[in-house]
């Protein structure tokens, strides 16, 4: 430790000691104890300290103390490096310990108290504690250039260049993700390996504060069967970045779209190169993989849109794989600097006079508040009905947890403040998303897992002040986001999961005297509707959001529209196609909430044909509407076009060959009008912070603020039940059951009439028992007064009487003599004085008919007469 550092530290601690003892003399002394120990207060929930905690020696009861001295050192420093505070000679024995850079960087420390008792006895107390003041981790750089200096069939020798960080203590070697050994040198031999097996190795630097490096330098090695028969590892360069500089003058960050590239080679061939990104302090499992990698000769690259990464440091990882399955990894840390540090500004929008009469649902990404977006200042809740907060996650125990325990609580509190001003706003916690859909499969799999998940979701909702739950599972059956996988059982489990959630939400709602919302966001395809049994599942939902965007994007080979409203005569899939797929699947129109994007995609096209539309590209990225407006692209080389076939705009810069698909105020208004024309349930937005001064939200609001007039009448279906005799004829009686549906305002009443008489209100099934023909007309009327054109059904009732039997016999094609004989049998039965005698005569008549030959009666008439005689026998009984 440098002498100047120790002197400055002691001076600062001495001053701190004087202040603390002075202040504590007037406060309560530390409590005595049976044994002595070191108390540190306050301590955070994670066991760490920040700022200037108070460190106190709590002494055993009855002790007489001469003095107590406080010392501290970094965890991995030798004891000789303990630095001491000024000793204290009277109780309470407390010191301020001012943590934080530069004197006490984040990390693990050992605190020590030297207690000298009046009798001359000395007691030493120690305690380990973690100091944590910064949001980003204090981690040393990993050693670079991990390579093999030797490889046999059973061992490898790893070597690396030293870490460039100061205060390095040692290096930690990991094999297959498990800590294997520590060393203070820059090489290590691993023995006991198996020929033909793959092994991954990684070396981390560890500093005196016990912090380990988090950037990567791992390799994956194939062990040879014979010594000398080795396949060299692939070679990969450090990651290069090209893009716009950050907005902070003199800073070294990046803003907007950044091109990341590496040079990768191999003695045979490079099989692939993969790129990943995560926030610097996030756990390893948070790495997000770039969907595609471009290759040009030995250069591999991806486009990184930094607007989707929170402000601060992010870590990029690139892995080169050779044809044998071996790999080498490199990482680099980059500063994201998209947002100006120059103070806040007042909002440029005015609140609406009244909330919209139709649903306008906006997603708000929690990470947006790491930038310039301020919820209380910038969220225009006056033009929203619902807000979905994105996202909560499902942990491996199937419980719903925060995705960002640092920022989420602040955002939840800000939303509560907004709701005080706009009490009409309903806030909903969205669970999942592309990056957070892992563990949905497991949550939905069994009755027990659904119970655990549903209870946790409801608890999370209530605890954090939300009004409902939104499931963003991307995607059931097929898989999609990180941690998901294809699973056919999802099709049956999806509606069961919703049913359980609905049950638990309703139970909580009864306790709280409110209705809690349940919604989903689904992919805009018939496949998603089928994979989730959406016609069945929708019954558990308050409304269904369809993600009618990302219809085309940077993962494809041609530049195309993000969210075309129409298909342009079959040239593209479209928003309209997605809507029709959901309606066909059985989602009621008034439940269907159509997604609209507040962002677009930017493509570096390789051809100027068709103004870049549907042309190949060699670079791409997302772009927000806010960025398009703030950068004033229309005054900086871009020309706006409007595609009449798809009803969306696009921008093109011919000089730079850049095509941008996006939505603006005109296209958003057209989509809102589509919602109104098709009497849908409203609009859903991804994502609110991407708007510019709430321009797009205002455009949506202006079209949807007034109620959508219901011009579509209800539809009524009739079910006729009874014992059928012939088409439209029933034996003895018929029951008519009516059922009406209306997609928007709801059914006001259903009514019917008989034989064009007076219209009567329908409440119970209609019973028709009058012999002969009856005409039933029926219709429904909705709450907007739309009257359905009536439908009719003619029903003939055949009473089981001798009179009707004589009529059937009379109309039958029977030989004259046989008919006369049959009528005689029937007259005898009708005139019989007892039921037994009547039954006997009817049985004889029935047998007489059965014995008739085809020469005397047609087969159809024979069967019909037999059936009716049997009916009279049955009814007589």
């Amino acid at each position: 430790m440098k002498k100047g550092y120790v002197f400055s530290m002691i001076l600062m601690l001495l001053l701190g000691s004087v202040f603390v003892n002075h202040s504590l003399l007037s406060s309560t002394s530390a409590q005595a104890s049976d044994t002595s120990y070191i108390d540190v207060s306050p301590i955070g929930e994670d066991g760490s300290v920040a700022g200037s905690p108070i460190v106190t020696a709590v002494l055993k009861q009855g002790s007489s103390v001469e003095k107590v001295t406080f010392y501290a050192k970094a965890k991995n420093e030798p004891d000789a490096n303990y630095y001491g505070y000024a000793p204290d000679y009277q109780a309470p024995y407390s010191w301020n310990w001012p943590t934080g850079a530069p004197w006490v960087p984040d990390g693990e420390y050992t605190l020590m108290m030297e207690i000298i008792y009046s009798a001359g006895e000395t007691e030493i107390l120690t305690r380990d504690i973690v100091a944590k003041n910064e949001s980003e981790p204090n981690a040393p750089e990993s050693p670079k250039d991990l390579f093999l200096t030797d490889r046999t069939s059973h061992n490898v020798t790893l070597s690396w260049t030293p870490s460039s960080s100061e205060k390095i203590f040692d290096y930690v070697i990991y094999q297959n993700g498990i800590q294997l050994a520590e060393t203070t040198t820059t090489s290590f031999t691993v023995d006991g390996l198996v020929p033909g097996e793959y092994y991954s190795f990684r070396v981390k630097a560890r500093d005196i504060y016990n912090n380990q490096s988090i950037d990567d330098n791992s390799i994956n090695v194939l062990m040879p069967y014979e010594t000398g028969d080795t396949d060299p590892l692939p070679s990969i360069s450090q990651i290069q970045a090209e893009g716009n500089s950050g907005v902070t003058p003199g800073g070294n960050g990046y803003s907007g779209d950044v091109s990341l590239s590496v040079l990768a080679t191999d003695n045979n061939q490079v099989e692939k190169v993969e790129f990943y990104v995560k926030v610097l302090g996030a756990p390893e499992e948070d790495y997000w993989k770039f969907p595609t990698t471009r290759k040009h000769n030995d250069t591999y690259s991806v486009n990184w849109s930094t607007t989707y990464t929170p402000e601060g440091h992010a870590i990029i990882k690139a892995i080169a794989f050779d044809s044998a399955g071996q790999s080498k990894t490199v990482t680099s840390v980059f500063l994201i600097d998209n947002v100006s540090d120059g103070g806040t500004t007042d909002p440029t929008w005015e609140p609406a006079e009244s909330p919209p009469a139709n649903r306008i649902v906006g997603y708000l990404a929690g990470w947006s508040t790491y930038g310039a977006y301020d919820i209380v200042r910038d969220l225009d809740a006056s033009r929203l009905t619902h807000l979905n907060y994105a996202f909560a996650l499902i942990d491996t125990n199937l419980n719903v947890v925060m995705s960002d325990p640092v920022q989420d609580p602040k955002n939840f509190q800000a939303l509560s403040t907004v709701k005080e001003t706009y009490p009409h706003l309903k806030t909903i916690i969205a669970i999942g998303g592309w990056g957070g859909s892992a563990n949905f499969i497991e949550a939905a799999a069994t009755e027990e897992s659904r119970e655990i998940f549903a209870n946790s979701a409801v608890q999370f909702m209530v605890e954090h002040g939300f009004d409902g739950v939104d499931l963003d599972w991307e995607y059931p059956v097929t898989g999609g986001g990180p941690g998901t996988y294809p699973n056919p059982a999802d099709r049956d489990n999806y509606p069961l999961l919703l049913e359980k959630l609905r049950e638990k939400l309703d139970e909580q709602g009864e306790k709280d005297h409110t209705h809690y919302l349940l919604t989903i966001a689904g992919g805009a395809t018939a496949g998603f509707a089928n994979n989730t049994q959406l016609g069945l599942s929708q019954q558990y939902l308050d409304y269904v959001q369809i993600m009618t965007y990302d219809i085309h994007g940077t993962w494809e080979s041609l530049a195309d529209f993000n969210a075309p409203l129409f298909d342009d005569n079959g040239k593209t899939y479209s928003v309209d196609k997605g809507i029709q797929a959901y309606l066909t699947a059985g989602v009621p129109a008034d439940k269907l909430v159509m997604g609209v994007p507040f962002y677009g995609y930017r493509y570096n096209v390789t051809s100027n044909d068709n103004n870049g539309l549907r042309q190949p590209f060699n670079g791409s990225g997302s772009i927000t509407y806010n960025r398009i407006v703030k950068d004033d692209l229309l005054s900086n080389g871009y020309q706006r076009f409007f595609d009449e076939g798809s009803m969306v705009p696009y921008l093109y810069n011919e000089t730079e060959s850049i095509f941008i698909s996006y939505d603006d105020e005109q296209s958003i208004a057209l989509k809102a009008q589509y919602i109104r024309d098709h009497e849908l349930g409203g609009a859903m937005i991804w994502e609110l912070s991407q708007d510019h001064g709430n321009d797009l939200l205002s455009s949506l609001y202006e079209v949807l603020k007034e109620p959508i007039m219901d011009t579509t009448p209800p539809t009524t279906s009739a079910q006729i039940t009874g014992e059928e005799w012939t088409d439209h004829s029933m034996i003895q009686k018929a029951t008519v059951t009516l059922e009406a549906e209306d997609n928007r305002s709801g059914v006001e009443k259903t009514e019917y009439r008989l034989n064009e008489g007076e219209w009567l209100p329908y409440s119970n099934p209609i019973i028709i028992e009058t012999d002969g023909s009856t005409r039933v007309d029926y219709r429904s009327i909705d709450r907007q007064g739309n009257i359905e054109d009536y439908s009719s059904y003619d029903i003939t009732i055949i009473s089981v009487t001798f009179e009707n039997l004589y009529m059937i016999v009379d109309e039958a094609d029977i030989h004259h003599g046989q008919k006369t004989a049959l009528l005689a049998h029937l007259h005898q039965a009708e005139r019989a004085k007892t039921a037994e005698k009547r039954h006997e005569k009817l049985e004889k008549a029935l047998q007489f008919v059965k014995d008739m030959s085809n020469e005397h009666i047609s087969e159809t008439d024979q069967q019909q007469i037999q059936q009716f005689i049997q009916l009279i026998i049955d009814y007589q009984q």
Side-chain angles (χ1 to χ4, degrees):
M1 185 178 291
K2 296 179 181 179
K3 291 183 179 178
Y5 169 81
V6 175
F7 178 79
S8 299
M9 192 68 194
I10 291 175
L11 178 61
M12 180 181 66
L13 299 178
L14 284 168
L15 293 174
S17 175
V18 173
F19 172 76
V20 171
N21 284 321
H22 174 77
S23 63
L24 285 176
L25 286 175
S26 60
S27 64
T28 303
S29 300
Q31 295 295 316
S33 172
D34 292 334
T35 59
S36 302
Y37 64 91
I38 299 174
D39 179 74
V40 183
S41 179
I43 293 182
E45 292 182 359
D46 62 354
S48 67
V49 296
S52 296
I54 298 173
V55 181
T56 302
V58 180
L59 306 180
K60 58 187 176 183
Q61 293 181 357
S63 58
S64 177
V65 175
E66 180 178 335
K67 71 174 179 177
V68 179
T69 307
F70 169 51
Y71 300 85
K73 73 175 182 69
K75 173 70 174 176
N76 293 324
E77 286 185 296
D79 289 351
N81 282 13
Y82 270 118
Y83 48 89
Y85 286 62
D88 205 346
Y89 295 92
Q90 60 181 352
Y93 303 100
S94 298
W95 290 260
N96 269 99
W97 183 39
T99 67
W103 310 116
V104 183
D106 284 1
E108 191 171 352
Y109 292 81
T110 300
L111 310 181
M112 183 176 72
M113 293 285 192
E114 181 187 52
I115 306 168
I116 300 178
Y117 292 95
S118 299
E121 176 188 2
T122 299
E123 183 179 16
I124 301 297
L125 308 176
T126 61
R127 173 174 179 169
D128 290 341
I129 198 78
V130 173
K132 185 178 180 182
N133 289 280
E134 304 296 331
S135 59
E136 293 187 343
N138 176 35
E141 289 283 339
S142 70
K144 302 299 182 184
D145 300 320
L146 177 62
F147 57 96
L148 301 176
T149 54
D150 191 28
R151 176 170 29 164
T152 71
S153 57
H154 291 88
N155 62 54
V156 295
T157 298
L158 308 171
S159 297
W160 54 90
T161 57
S163 169
S164 60
S165 296
E166 296 181 352
K167 299 183 175 61
I168 293 299
F169 174 63
D170 65 1
Y171 298 100
V172 184
I173 296 92
Y174 290 81
Q175 177 181 313
N176 296 338
I178 299 173
Q179 184 171 329
L180 179 66
E182 303 93 22
T183 180
T184 57
T185 67
T186 56
S187 67
F188 187 83
T189 298
V190 183
D191 296 310
L193 305 179
V194 179
E197 294 290 330
Y198 287 93
Y199 292 90
S200 66
F201 299 100
R202 182 178 180 182
V203 179
K204 293 187 177 185
R206 183 162 57 180
D207 63 19
I208 61 173
Y209 311 107
N210 218 33
N211 299 310
Q212 289 192 22
S213 56
I214 57 178
D215 50 330
D216 209 329
N217 64 345
S218 57
I219 57 176
N220 193 48
V221 179
L222 174 63
M223 298 304 297
Y225 285 98
E226 296 181 8
T227 300
D229 183 20
T230 59
D231 183 3
L233 298 178
S235 174
I236 184 170
S237 69
Q238 292 300 309
I239 300 170
Q240 301 299 313
E242 294 183 4
N244 295 327
S245 298
V247 299
T248 302
N252 60 351
Y254 290 90
S255 177
D257 290 341
V258 178
S259 178
L260 304 170
S261 64
V262 294
L263 184 68
T265 58
D266 187 67
N267 63 315
N268 291 320
Q269 68 175 30
V270 174
E271 183 70 20
K272 61 180 177 179
V273 174
E274 295 178 343
F275 287 80
Y276 298 80
V277 62
K278 73 177 181 71
V279 174
L280 183 63
E284 293 283 325
E285 57 265 27
D286 276 13
Y287 266 119
W288 178 80
K289 179 183 175 183
F290 287 80
T292 58
T293 302
R294 299 186 299 275
K295 180 180 185 298
H296 179 70
N297 297 327
D298 292 329
T299 299
Y300 296 80
S301 61
V302 294
N303 184 271
W304 177 30
S305 178
T306 64
T307 56
Y308 281 95
T309 307
E311 293 285 288
H313 288 94
I315 185 166
I316 300 291
K317 175 171 68 174
I319 310 174
F321 297 84
D322 68 12
S323 57
Q326 301 183 118
S327 65
K328 188 165 186 178
T329 301
V330 294
T331 54
S332 290
V333 176
F334 298 95
L335 175 64
I336 310 305
D337 186 20
N338 288 307
V339 180
S340 172
D341 294 326
T344 61
T345 58
D346 292 332
T348 58
W349 50 273
E350 292 291 334
E353 293 183 359
S354 61
N358 304 286
R359 295 185 192 100
I360 298 183
V361 186
Y363 276 91
L364 178 66
W367 57 85
S368 67
T369 59
Y370 276 102
Y373 193 86
D374 181 275
I375 291 176
V376 176
R377 183 191 69 222
D378 298 323
L379 177 63
D380 181 5
S382 72
R383 291 176 172 84
L384 295 173
T385 56
H386 303 76
L387 182 138
N388 296 340
Y389 185 86
F391 289 103
L393 306 177
I394 308 170
D395 69 12
T396 54
N397 295 320
L398 308 183
N399 292 315
V400 177
V401 296
M402 297 181 195
S403 60
D404 187 344
V406 174
Q407 196 71 3
D408 286 347
K410 302 174 187 176
N411 293 340
F412 296 167
Q413 181 58 48
L415 288 175
S416 296
T417 301
V418 170
K419 289 171 73 173
E420 291 175 2
T421 305
Y422 300 101
H424 74 275
L425 181 70
K426 300 294 184 183
T427 57
I428 300 168
I429 183 63
I431 303 171
W434 178 262
S437 288
N439 300 322
F440 262 123
I441 290 175
E442 291 74 16
T446 67
E447 175 65 24
E448 180 184 7
S449 64
R450 292 189 288 270
E451 183 90 8
I452 293 170
F453 170 75
N455 283 331
S456 176
V458 172
Q459 180 182 353
F460 187 100
M461 174 196 72
V462 173
E463 180 181 352
H464 299 294
F466 289 98
D467 302 300
V469 173
D470 175 54
L471 295 193
D472 290 31
W473 182 351
E474 301 182 22
Y475 292 99
V477 178
T478 62
T484 66
Y485 51 88
N487 184 47
D490 294 342
R491 186 176 189 275
D492 293 325
N493 293 336
Y494 190 86
L496 294 175
L497 183 65
L498 295 182
E499 181 182 24
K500 180 59 67 176
L501 262 172
R502 181 73 273 161
E503 172 192 328
K504 297 298 182 181
L505 287 166
D506 288 347
E507 288 177 2
Q508 187 66 41
E510 289 183 13
K511 297 177 185 177
D512 300 337
H513 306 292
T514 189
H515 173 76
Y516 289 114
L517 299 167
L518 178 59
T519 66
I520 66 163
T525 64
F528 180 90
N530 177 63
N531 289 340
T532 56
Q533 300 190 67
L534 208 48
L536 169 65
S537 298
Q538 61 84 20
Q539 67 181 303
Y540 306 114
L541 302 170
D542 290 275
Y543 52 85
V544 178
Q545 299 161 120
I546 178 171
M547 294 187 287
T548 35
Y549 37 76
D550 285 351
I551 289 171
H552 298 289
T554 57
W555 52 91
E556 297 180 331
S557 59
L558 300 178
D560 211 331
F561 295 127
N562 176 27
L565 182 56
F566 296 109
D567 68 356
D568 194 11
N569 295 316
K571 294 178 183 177
T572 177
Y573 194 73
S574 66
V575 172
D576 173 64
K577 293 288 187 184
I579 294 296
Q580 297 308 316
Y582 270 43
L583 294 174
T584 301
V587 179
D590 69 322
K591 269 192 175 184
L592 186 49
V593 176
M594 188 177 92
V596 296
F598 283 8
Y599 68 96
Y601 288 109
R602 174 185 181 274
Y603 303 88
N604 297 87
V605 294
T606 58
S607 170
N608 286 330
D609 292 348
N610 202 25
N611 295 324
L613 175 60
R614 302 191 179 101
Q615 302 304 308
F617 58 92
N618 59 13
S620 60
S622 62
I623 185 169
T624 66
Y625 182 71
N626 183 43
R627 177 57 59 188
I628 290 172
V629 177
K630 286 185 71 173
D631 289 352
D632 195 14
L633 296 187
L634 287 176
S635 299
N636 288 280
Y638 286 84
Q639 184 176 354
R640 180 186 183 273
F641 299 89
F642 193 85
D643 187 84
E644 296 291 341
S646 299
M647 300 300 283
V648 286
Y650 63 98
L651 302 177
Y652 190 60
N653 187 315
E654 185 175 6
T655 302
E656 298 185 15
S657 296
I658 297 176
F659 171 88
I660 295 177
S661 164
Y662 74 114
D663 275 273
D664 62 8
E665 294 174 66
Q666 179 188 4
S667 64
I668 290 293
L670 289 170
K671 288 176 176 177
Q673 191 61 47
Y674 178 99
I675 292 169
R676 179 172 287 280
D677 292 344
H678 291 76
E679 298 181 8
L680 302 181
M684 173 269 284
I685 299 156
W686 182 271
E687 183 268 350
L688 289 168
S689 71
Q690 298 168 337
D691 201 354
H692 177 265
N694 297 309
D695 296 343
L696 298 184
L697 178 58
S698 295
S699 182
L700 200 63
Y701 171 83
E702 287 304 314
V703 180
L704 295 178
K705 65 181 178 180
E706 300 296 336
I708 294 177
M709 296 304 298
D710 186 357
T711 60
T712 303
T715 57
T716 309
S717 59
Q719 183 180 12
I720 316 299
T721 56
E723 188 172 356
E724 189 173 352
W725 176 247
T726 60
D727 291 342
H728 292 278
S729 65
M730 302 283 180
I731 296 297
Q732 212 58 9
K733 72 174 183 178
T735 301
V736 182
T737 304
L738 303 179
E739 184 173 356
E741 294 183 349
D742 187 80
N743 273 344
R744 178 157 290 279
S745 60
V747 177
E748 177 68 27
K749 65 177 178 178
T750 299
E751 54 188 18
Y752 72 97
R753 67 183 181 184
L754 303 178
N755 297 326
E756 299 185 344
E758 181 183 356
W759 285 102
L760 302 172
Y762 173 83
S763 57
N764 296 309
I766 306 163
I767 307 298
I768 308 295
E769 296 181 295
T770 304
D771 202 28
S773 180
T774 299
R775 181 182 179 123
V776 180
D777 301 326
Y778 53 90
R779 67 187 182 187
S780 293
I781 303 170
D782 67 19
R783 292 191 179 96
Q784 287 292 325
N786 297 304
I787 303 176
E788 178 187 13
D789 291 337
Y790 69 81
S791 300
S792 300
Y793 200 94
D794 290 318
I795 302 171
T796 299
I797 299 299
I798 306 295
S799 300
V800 182
T801 62
F802 279 96
E803 182 181 359
N804 282 332
L805 178 56
Y806 295 147
M807 181 180 65
I808 292 169
V809 172
D810 187 59
E811 293 176 352
D813 182 14
I814 309 175
H815 183 273
H816 177 69
Q818 298 291 330
K819 181 181 290 188
T820 301
L822 174 58
L823 288 172
H825 281 294
L826 296 176
H827 284 309
Q828 290 177 11
E830 184 182 15
R831 292 193 295 268
K833 297 187 180 298
T834 65
E836 291 81 6
K837 200 68 174 176
R838 185 179 301 111
H839 181 81
E840 178 186 335
K841 295 297 183 181
L842 284 170
E843 289 287 354
K844 286 183 178 181
L846 180 60
Q847 190 61 46
F848 181 82
V849 176
K850 290 180 179 179
D851 292 340
M852 286 185 187
S853 68
N854 292 338
E855 296 178 355
H856 294 147
I857 189 171
S858 69
E859 183 177 356
T860 301
D861 288 338
Q862 187 178 28
Q863 291 177 352
Q864 194 175 58
I865 293 171
Q866 286 182 55
Q867 182 181 356
F868 207 87
I869 293 174
Q870 185 64 54
L871 284 170
I872 291 181
I873 292 172
D874 294 340
Y875 275 80
Q876 293 293 328
Q877 292 178 342

